[in-house]
Amino acid sequence: MFYLLLGIVIFDFVLSRTLSILNAGWESKPVPPELADIYDEEKRKKQLEFNRASRRFSWISNSFDLLVTIAMLFGGYRILDEYIHLWFYFAPVDSPILRDTLMAIIFFLTLSIASSVINIPFSVYRTFVLMQRFGFNRTTPATFIFDWLKSNALNILLTSIILFAVVPIYDTMPDYFWLLAWGVMSAFSLFMTYFYSNLIVPLFNKQTPLPEGELRDAIEKLATSVDFKLDNIYVMDSSKRSTLGNAYFTGFGRRKRIVLYDTLIEQLTTDEILAVLAHEIGHYKGHHTVKGIITSLTTSLVMFILLGLTLRYNLCAGAIGCVASFHINMYLFYTLYDPIDTIISLASNAISRRHEFEADNFTIKCNLAPHQISALKKLSAHALSNPTPHPLFVFFHYSHPTLLDRIINLQR
């Protein structure tokens, strides 16, 4: 089992690098005629340079992660587990359930925070060197530090809540752990989906209602014309961190809202913004959010069934020389599950790409296809997106169709 875990880690790295190499071989191919107006010669040169710089950075950071993971498999996890057991030997906890829960929390958070700390140089370089060099970064050092602190604080809180919920289930009802833990996590996931924009986003960004004016009037007119009840239109101050524009639809029921990045409003015309919003409404009309939730709950059920088997037979902890341990088995399970997760991701990406076409088709029904095309071109050009990705790279990594495929579809 140890060599299976090691093989999965190495194979995942090799697959990722192979796809990157294939993609690199296609990036200098001639730009298709449909995209010829996106990049002039100077812009195309900058786009190629950005892709190459990003790829080099990815090679270095991923190689570092691989070496750290291998080192942890060859003794790091075992040493950490021994120190945690030693700590509880000198500071005993009477309740076995509380002890197991606290050990799991300490184990997970130690690894998570340690990973966050050792990756600070990579985050700093990506933000203040790579993204700064190509004109994307607007993050100040103060914002970067506070984001890091808030992200880790949120991670500590959520990890503690989750483990305080699932570890007692395993200790008291191990035979039904997979079902009960799946139910708890599903409820937690639905709660976070419902309240994400109200609870999580405000920790990092301000969301303000779109003010009265031409844009809001146009959006409300569009929503009325397609029978879409929309009371919540918000603008998010994404420009405090990046120049990249976007919009997204979140929540459901009374909590559904459309959020526009302020950078999107800066970069697009009113008609182009309407086309982007028509696309988001198309997702709602196609019930893509509900379908996504159902798919997520189904795949997570499969994951918890396999996790239950892993815990029962001590597959992972025993493989690295540790005593039976909930936290080690659970932590390393995600490595063991990685090939299955990759297959599920391929299917999820394929479904997501189909949903994107369906949402684009809704913009056609709204007579906004030409504006959707121009919006996509502007956003892609600003983001220095690769206009010629390798098909296998798209197959493995793209949750959206390529820009070329979307434009061809919109032009039909």
Side-chain angles (χ1 to χ4, degrees):
M1 180 59 68
F2 172 81
Y3 291 105
L4 177 59
L5 290 169
L6 182 62
I8 290 172
V9 170
I10 295 174
F11 177 78
D12 186 62
F13 175 81
V14 171
L15 176 62
S16 175
R17 296 305 93 203
T18 301
L19 292 172
S20 178
I21 292 170
L22 290 174
N23 205 40
W26 275 52
E27 71 177 7
S28 58
K29 289 172 67 71
V31 176
E34 293 86 350
L35 310 180
D37 57 336
I38 295 181
Y39 297 120
D40 56 27
E41 184 177 348
E42 189 63 29
K43 190 83 169 181
R44 174 63 165 158
K45 182 180 178 181
K46 183 179 180 181
Q47 180 265 316
L48 289 171
E49 187 180 355
F50 173 66
N51 275 251
R52 289 163 186 161
S54 299
R55 187 167 55 254
R56 286 193 298 268
F57 174 75
S58 177
W59 268 93
I60 295 171
S61 61
N62 289 348
S63 298
F64 177 79
D65 289 342
L66 174 67
L67 293 176
V68 171
T69 302
I70 291 175
M72 294 301 293
L73 285 173
F74 272 99
Y77 294 123
R78 186 181 67 253
I79 293 171
L80 174 60
D81 186 53
E82 290 172 353
Y83 272 107
I84 293 174
H85 276 86
L86 183 63
W87 189 86
F88 277 92
Y89 176 80
F90 288 105
V93 176
D94 293 334
S95 169
I97 294 176
L98 180 58
R99 183 191 65 240
D100 290 346
T101 302
L102 292 175
M103 289 177 69
I105 290 172
I106 293 171
F107 183 83
F108 272 80
L109 290 181
T110 299
L111 291 173
S112 177
I113 294 173
S115 174
S116 181
V117 169
I118 65 177
N119 277 287
I120 285 177
F122 294 105
S123 298
V124 169
Y125 180 87
R126 184 181 186 278
T127 302
F128 296 106
V129 178
L130 180 61
M131 302 303 281
Q132 185 79 32
R133 175 184 168 191
F134 291 94
F136 295 127
N137 179 53
R138 287 181 179 172
T139 303
T140 64
T143 300
F144 180 88
I145 293 170
F146 281 113
D147 281 353
W148 188 88
L149 292 173
K150 286 186 286 188
S151 295
N152 280 278
L154 185 62
N155 176 45
I156 291 171
L157 175 63
L158 295 182
T159 299
S160 300
I161 290 173
I162 291 169
L163 291 175
F164 263 113
V166 301
V167 176
I169 293 174
Y170 177 73
D171 279 356
T172 56
M173 291 173 284
D175 291 339
Y176 299 99
F177 168 79
W178 61 273
L179 180 61
L180 296 175
W182 172 76
V184 169
M185 291 305 300
S186 297
F188 181 76
S189 176
L190 290 173
F191 174 84
M192 293 304 294
T193 299
Y194 193 69
F195 290 103
Y196 173 76
S197 280
N198 300 87
L199 297 178
I200 305 301
V201 175
L203 296 175
F204 300 92
N205 289 94
K206 291 181 180 178
Q207 298 176 103
T208 55
L210 181 66
E212 299 291 337
E214 176 192 354
L215 179 58
R216 187 178 183 94
D217 291 343
I219 291 173
E220 291 175 345
K221 182 179 179 180
L222 170 66
T224 301
S225 69
V226 296
D227 192 26
F228 179 75
K229 182 174 175 55
L230 181 61
D231 298 321
N232 301 314
I233 312 171
Y234 285 85
V235 178
M236 190 169 76
D237 61 339
S238 63
S239 58
K240 66 189 289 187
R241 292 181 181 84
S242 172
T243 64
L244 299 176
N246 202 356
Y248 65 89
F249 178 88
T250 185
F252 47 88
R254 291 187 298 109
R255 293 285 176 180
K256 71 176 184 291
R257 65 171 59 181
I258 285 179
V259 179
L260 304 173
Y261 286 23
D262 56 357
T263 47
L264 183 87
I265 297 175
E266 292 172 6
Q267 296 167 19
L268 303 184
T269 66
T270 297
D271 286 335
E272 289 167 344
I273 293 172
L274 290 179
V276 171
L277 291 181
H279 174 91
E280 298 302 325
I281 294 173
H283 281 305
Y284 178 81
K285 293 287 187 177
H287 307 292
H288 297 160
T289 301
V290 175
K291 291 175 182 176
I293 291 173
I294 293 173
T295 300
S296 176
L297 294 178
T298 303
T299 56
S300 68
L301 178 60
V302 173
M303 185 191 74
F304 273 100
I305 291 173
L306 296 176
L307 174 59
L309 294 173
T310 301
L311 293 170
R312 174 179 295 181
Y313 296 108
N314 192 37
L315 295 178
C316 295
I320 62 172
C322 292
V323 296
S325 165
F326 174 87
H327 51 270
I328 291 184
N329 277 315
M330 186 173 180
Y331 190 88
L332 291 182
F333 165 77
Y334 294 103
T335 299
L336 198 63
Y337 184 72
D338 187 69
I340 299 173
D341 186 54
T342 297
I343 294 171
I344 291 174
S345 294
L346 291 176
S348 297
N349 283 342
I351 294 171
S352 176
R353 290 193 293 268
R354 187 182 70 198
H355 286 170
E356 292 301 322
F357 279 131
E358 292 175 0
D360 278 345
N361 290 342
F362 189 78
T363 65
I364 298 174
K365 294 180 181 179
C366 296
N367 299 314
L368 290 167
H371 302 295
Q372 173 75 339
I373 290 173
S374 61
L376 289 173
K377 287 183 175 182
K378 283 184 180 180
L379 294 173
S380 295
H382 185 80
L384 299 179
S385 300
N386 181 8
T388 57
H390 192 281
L392 268 180
F393 192 87
V394 173
F395 179 71
F396 273 88
H397 291 302
Y398 275 39
S399 61
H400 286 53
T402 65
L403 177 62
L404 176 62
D405 289 338
R406 293 183 71 178
I407 288 177
I408 290 174
N409 177 66
L410 286 164
Q411 287 177 336
R412 287 172 178 172

